[in-house]
Amino acid sequence: MNVELKAQTIASIEAELLIEILTPELLENHPHKHLCERAGFKAKQDTINAMHSHARLLVGVDELKPDLIRSAVAVAIKAIKNFGYKSAKIGSYGLENASAIVDGLILGQYSFNEYKSKHDEVLIKNIYISNEDIDDESLDYELLEQAIHNATIIANATNMSRDMVNTIPHDFTPSTFAYIAEELAQTHEDLECLVLDENALKDENMNAMLAVGRASVHKSRLIHLSYKPKKPQAVVSLVGKGLTYDSGGLSLKPSTSMVTMKMDKAGGCAVMGMMKAVSELNLDIEVHGFIGGVENMIGGDAYKPDDVLASRSTKTIEVRNTDAEGRLVLADVLDYAQEKVKADYIFDFATLTGACMVALGQYTTGVMGHSNKLKHQIFQASNDSGELVGTLPFNRHLKKLLKSDIADISNVASKPYGGAITAGLFLDNFINDDMKDKWLHFDIAGSAYTESAWDCYGYGATGSGVRLIMSWLQQNIEK
């Protein structure tokens, strides 16, 4: 679907359907108010009224705010996919809402049908956005064009991440991660790609990561994508957990919990989407993406509870649960990333704990770290991008629960409470002292995947993290 800005009034744009966003107040002065009353349409949030005889689709919002517009436009485009229109047009509703409209259109129309034998044909091909505001005034075309251009890049990168997460484990292994990264670097000339196979991982003493993937026939890979502009304003490292499938290992998950475990690679997929967006936005920021691609399976060679692993950092880890595997992979990848790149910031993204969903709910990413300044910046980026975040506080009492009597640290806490925080505190052990205030951990276990539609997302992956971090990069570094 093509989204295009037009320097025309909404009336002068040729399209088969007009999309109108209405608040209850705007509905009061609408020329078809009486028809809306007959249809029972009151412009409540995310409700629609299809007036096919007038070639209009009305969609309700409580207020003209980005979060509400994003959701409403997503509802509208999902409805239009079932109609017979090939083109539609929509107004701008203020410069501050332009990105939300694009998000709603591109993220809302997304569906993953790769494994269906029959696909319903979607006729809608073009959406035209007018630079006419609701007060009939024209908005600044260049500012609007830039906002729509950037939002389109970021939304498409988000959908690329969603495609990767939604791909089934049989078709997406650690080597698939490497192949897609290499292909991305080939199509984006300013991206470089380095892939470490298992021999290279052994040379790097990445024994914790190797242990997790040891029982799989699909060998582990570490992917390093880099984007290096000539005069970067800062250097940022992004680290993603890429568990292409997680059976739980010998600490086997219940069968119901294994369904959807293709989503355990969502952190790595988000980093891939971020690298695509950074390149296409031509940001003056040096960005490095590190992904630990691993499959956690069972077998005669599987790592075991009671094992002690020597991580790349030389810290030893007592394994008490093989289903706490993502943190073992990240421990080595974080250490590798810090040695190879002297970054100003380092963020990691992982579907790490079900405890994060218990703490914050299904829709919210858990943010952990030592820097209140960084967390405040992420909250601002959350407000602007529409991705929900909540902070979970570190404390010294929970840190004690990771104590091991036979190794430097245990991979799970001795008590079952505060599991998202103790997982973050585990990772903190592998962050260098000079990077403590430059690091944040993002637990996307709840926000990365959904089995019921919400906001601009349908069933499956959400691409959690991509829009959030792009917003943070543009707000705080790219000036």
Side-chain angles (χ1 to χ4, degrees), residues 70-254:
R70 181 183 300 107
S71 179
V73 171
V75 169
I77 196 64
K78 287 172 185 174
I80 293 170
K81 286 171 64 177
N82 297 315
F83 298 162
Y85 303 102
K86 295 180 180 179
S87 62
K89 59 185 176 180
I90 187 172
S92 295
Y93 297 92
L95 181 61
E96 69 280 4
N97 291 318
S99 295
I101 289 173
V102 173
D103 286 347
L105 291 171
I106 296 178
L107 300 179
Q109 63 83 35
Y110 175 88
S111 59
F112 187 78
N113 299 312
E114 184 69 23
Y115 300 105
K116 291 189 176 182
S117 58
K118 294 181 180 179
H119 298 174
D120 293 331
E121 184 181 5
V122 178
L123 295 180
I124 189 75
K125 301 297 181 185
N126 296 297
I127 304 287
Y128 304 112
I129 301 176
S130 168
N131 70 327
E132 182 183 13
D133 206 351
I134 56 173
D135 58 4
D136 299 329
E137 296 292 326
S138 295
L139 296 172
D140 186 295
Y141 184 84
E142 289 187 2
L143 290 176
L144 198 58
E145 183 180 41
Q146 189 64 52
I148 289 173
H149 172 75
N150 290 357
T152 300
I153 287 174
I154 295 167
N156 285 330
T158 302
N159 281 349
M160 183 192 82
S161 296
R162 296 167 84 181
D163 279 343
M164 293 169 68
V165 175
N166 285 328
T167 302
I168 62 172
H170 177 77
D171 293 339
F172 202 113
T173 66
S175 61
T176 311
F177 249 135
Y179 173 80
I180 294 174
E182 290 171 335
E183 192 174 56
L184 190 64
Q186 288 175 2
T187 57
H188 294 67
E189 293 182 357
D190 48 10
L191 288 180
E192 298 174 9
C193 182
L194 172 67
V195 176
L196 273 62
D197 62 13
E198 288 212 334
N199 289 329
L201 294 174
K202 290 174 184 175
D203 291 341
E204 290 286 347
N205 296 314
M206 301 185 77
N207 302 307
M209 177 176 170
L210 285 166
V212 174
R214 200 165 64 205
S216 175
V217 297
H218 302 294
K219 301 308 179 185
S220 301
R221 297 288 186 272
L222 186 145
I223 298 102
H224 177 191
L225 280 166
S226 54
Y227 169 81
K228 300 177 182 177
K230 290 182 179 179
K231 296 181 180 179
Q233 298 181 32
V235 180
V236 178
S237 286
L238 308 171
V239 176
K241 171 188 170 185
L243 263 291
T244 57
Y245 190 74
D246 178 23
S247 68
L250 293 180
S251 302
L252 196 65
K253 292 178 183 290

Side-chain angles (χ1 to χ4, degrees), residues 8-21:
Q8 297 175 233
T9 64
I10 192 74
S12 67
I13 296 175
E14 292 187 10
E16 296 178 3
L17 180 70
L18 170 63
I19 305 170
E20 287 188 275
I21 301 173

Side-chain angles (χ1 to χ4, degrees), residues 249-264:
L250 293 180
S251 302
L252 196 65
K253 292 178 183 290
S255 58
T256 54
S257 297
M258 286 196 212
V259 179
T260 74
M261 271 300 104
K262 62 185 179 183
M263 58 86 76
D264 217 19

Side-chain angles (χ1 to χ4, degrees), residues 316-329:
T316 57
I317 305 166
E318 178 188 2
V319 178
R320 299 187 67 83
N321 187 329
T322 63
D323 195 23
E325 84 301 326
R327 64 198 70 182
L328 300 177
V329 174

Side-chain angles (χ1 to χ4, degrees), residues 353-362 364-368 392 419-420 443-446:
T353 66
C356 192
M357 276 192 283
V358 175
L360 296 175
Q362 173 186 356
T364 304
T365 293
V367 182
M368 285 158 263
L392 295 172
D443 192 330
I444 59 173

Side-chain angles (χ1 to χ4, degrees), residues 198 278 290:
E198 288 212 334
V278 163
F290 298 89

